[in-house]
Amino acid sequence: MKKIAVFTSGGDSPGMNACIRAVVRTAIYHNMEVMGIVHGYDGMINDEFIPLDAKSVANIIHRGGTILKTARSKEFLTLEGRKKAFANLKKHGVEGVIVIGGDGSFKGALEFSKECDIPFVGCPGTIDNDLIGTDFTIGYDTAINTVVEAVDKIRDTAESHDRLFFVEVMGRDAGLIALRAGIGVGAEAILIPETKTDVEELIKKLESGRKNKSSKIILVAEGDDAGGAFKIAEQVKQRLPYYDTRVTVLGHIQRGGSPTAMERVNASRMGFAAVEALMKNERNIMIGIVDKQITYTPFEHAVKHIQELNPDLMRMVNILSL
Ligand code: ATP
C-alpha cells in the first residue's frame, strides 16, 4: 500500500486530532503517502483532499475538535454521491482509508464497500462511549472530565446558597457520561435512560436527605425516560417548594477542550493500530481497546448499544448518593 487517506466524520470529539497525528506519522514511517479529506464524506464527494506530511500534524495532539473538520453528509447516503466519492479516491490514488467517527460513519463505509473496492478501517470517535467493541471511545474521557470540572464549580455556588441543582449532560440514548461524571462529582442522584427513573422515589429521597447536606446535585442524561432536567426539576419544585431549585444544561462545552492524557494515549494507540491493520489487509473493521489490548470488531457489529450496567457499580452509586 503506497497511499492512504484519513478523515473525521459525524460529531467531533476531543482526541480526534491525536488520532489523525498517529495515523499520519505511522503511515509516513511505513513509507506511505497520506491524504487528509476535509469535511468527512462531503469532502470525499467534493474533492477536498489535502496532502498531509509529518509537519502538518505537529502541535495538534493537545487540541480539541478536528483539524480535518467533520460533517454529516446527505449526499453520501445516495449511490450517486458514493460514486463521486469513489472516483475522487481513485483519482488521488488512495488504496486504503481510515475513518474516525461513530457507528453511522462505519455504516456508511460498509455500504460503500459493497460498491467500491477500497479497504476501510475505523477508529471510534464519539463522546458517548456507547459502541460495541471498545472499552473507551475517543472523546469520552475528556467529556466526563469536562463535566466533572463544570459541576465542581456548580457545587461551589450550590453549597453557598443551599441550592438543589439539576445538571443536564449529553446522552440521548446512553447515560454513560452522566453515570461516570456523577460518581466523580459525588452527585446526590444520577438519572439515566438505561434505568427507569421514578420521580416519586427521587422526591422521597430528597425529602429524607434534606438534612444530610446543604447543597444537592442531580445529574440528568438528556435522554432520561422521565424527561430532561427542566421537566424533572419542575415536578420536584412543585412538591418540594422549600428547595431553592436551579437547572443548568451543560450543552456543547462537553464536546470541546483539550483531550486528557488518557484520551491522547488511547487515540494515538488506535490511529497507530489502524494503519497497521490496513497493512495486514484488514478491511471493514473498527479498532478498539478492550482490557488494554487492541481489538478488531467488524463494522457490522460496531453499532450503538445500550450497555448492560455493572450491577456492583449501580449498587455503589445508590449507597454513596443521597
Ligand atoms: P456520532 O456518533 O457523533 O453521531 P456518527 O458517525 O454515528 O457519529 P452519523 O451522522 O450517524 O454520525 O454518520 C456520519 C455519516 O455517515 C452520515 O452523515 C452519512 O453521510 C454516513 N452514513 C451513515 N449511515 C449511512 C448509510 N447507511 N449509508 C451511507 N452512508 C451513511
Side-chain angles (χ1 to χ4, degrees):
M1 201 169 278
K2 295 262 169 21
K3 199 179 211 179
I4 65 166
V6 59
F7 70 104
T8 46
S9 172
D12 65 310
S13 63
M16 282 182 159
N17 282 329
C19 190
I20 294 168
R21 172 182 175 273
V23 166
V24 172
R25 298 256 165 110
T26 308
I28 289 171
Y29 174 81
H30 290 293
N31 299 314
M32 287 185 256
E33 278 181 68
V34 191
M35 301 296 281
I37 305 170
V38 182
H39 291 125
Y41 286 120
D42 268 348
M44 203 181 277
I45 293 167
N46 301 324
D47 199 10
E48 293 182 75
F49 286 59
I50 52 167
L52 295 173
D53 60 14
K55 220 173 155 193
S56 55
V57 291
N59 286 324
I60 64 165
I61 196 166
H62 60 292
R63 282 168 55 191
T66 158
I67 58 160
L68 291 176
K69 315 249 180 196
T70 186
R72 299 187 196 276
S73 170
K74 286 212 178 99
E75 214 180 335
F76 197 77
L77 296 171
T78 67
L79 181 61
E80 203 173 82
R82 293 196 294 274
K83 276 187 179 162
K84 278 192 213 164
F86 185 53
N88 284 327
L89 288 170
K90 281 278 166 212
K91 184 174 101 182
H92 290 284
V94 172
E95 293 166 290
V97 181
I98 292 172
V99 46
I100 307 165
D103 70 326
S105 303
F106 304 152
K107 268 186 217 144
L110 202 56
E111 199 56 38
F112 193 61
S113 72
K114 290 178 195 158
E115 303 139 9
C116 312
D117 187 24
I118 292 186
F120 273 61
V121 166
C123 292
T126 171
I127 61 168
D128 292 329
N129 206 39
D130 56 351
L131 286 180
I132 283 183
T134 191
D135 288 343
F136 295 101
T137 55
I138 298 170
Y140 177 61
D141 191 58
T142 307
I144 58 176
N145 276 284
T146 300
V147 172
V148 165
E149 202 184 322
V151 177
D152 281 349
K153 288 175 181 161
I154 291 170
R155 176 75 80 180
D156 288 345
T157 173
E159 191 67 21
S160 303
H161 287 274
D162 297 337
R163 279 180 178 147
L164 163 64
F165 265 87
F166 287 84
V167 182
E168 186 175 295
V169 299
M170 283 186 170
R172 230 169 280 142
D173 309 306
L176 295 173
I177 292 180
L179 183 62
R180 289 217 175 227
I183 294 170
V185 297
E188 277 63 39
I190 302 169
L191 311 181
I192 55 178
E194 290 89 339
T195 56
K196 175 119 194 64
T197 293
D198 184 341
V199 178
E200 282 305 315
E201 189 62 29
L202 175 69
I203 289 169
K204 266 192 224 150
K205 272 174 141 194
L206 283 167
E207 263 180 321
S208 63
R210 200 181 161 199
K211 291 186 200 77
N212 298 352
K213 236 177 175 185
S214 49
S215 70
K216 305 224 179 298
I217 305 272
I218 316 286
L219 242 63
V220 186
E222 61 182 326
D224 183 70
D225 49 301
F230 279 104
K231 194 172 166 200
I232 300 170
E234 203 41 54
Q235 294 174 61
V236 171
K237 231 187 215 174
Q238 280 177 12
R239 298 279 299 282
L240 307 176
Y242 45 81
Y243 269 117
D244 188 2
T245 304
R246 301 293 153 107
V247 177
T248 297
V249 177
L250 292 186
H252 281 81
I253 65 161
Q254 293 164 87
R255 282 200 179 278
S258 182
T260 62
M262 186 64 85
E263 202 83 83
R264 296 177 200 192
V265 173
N266 285 344
S268 299
R269 286 187 71 193
M270 290 189 200
F272 178 81
V275 176
E276 297 209 325
L278 275 181
M279 291 169 68
K280 286 191 258 176
N281 293 322
E282 293 287 348
R283 55 168 62 209
N284 292 337
I285 51 136
M286 181 196 84
I287 303 293
I289 298 179
V290 176
D291 290 337
K292 298 183 189 155
Q293 302 299 319
I294 290 290
T295 55
Y296 298 166
T297 302
F299 278 156
E300 52 265 59
H301 298 153
V303 290
K304 265 187 199 294
H305 72 124
I306 304 301
Q307 274 198 6
E308 269 195 41
L309 299 174
N310 178 340
D312 283 342
L313 195 70
M314 296 312 289
R315 201 168 66 83
M316 183 193 81
V317 167
N318 283 329
I319 291 171
L320 300 189
S321 58
L322 271 179

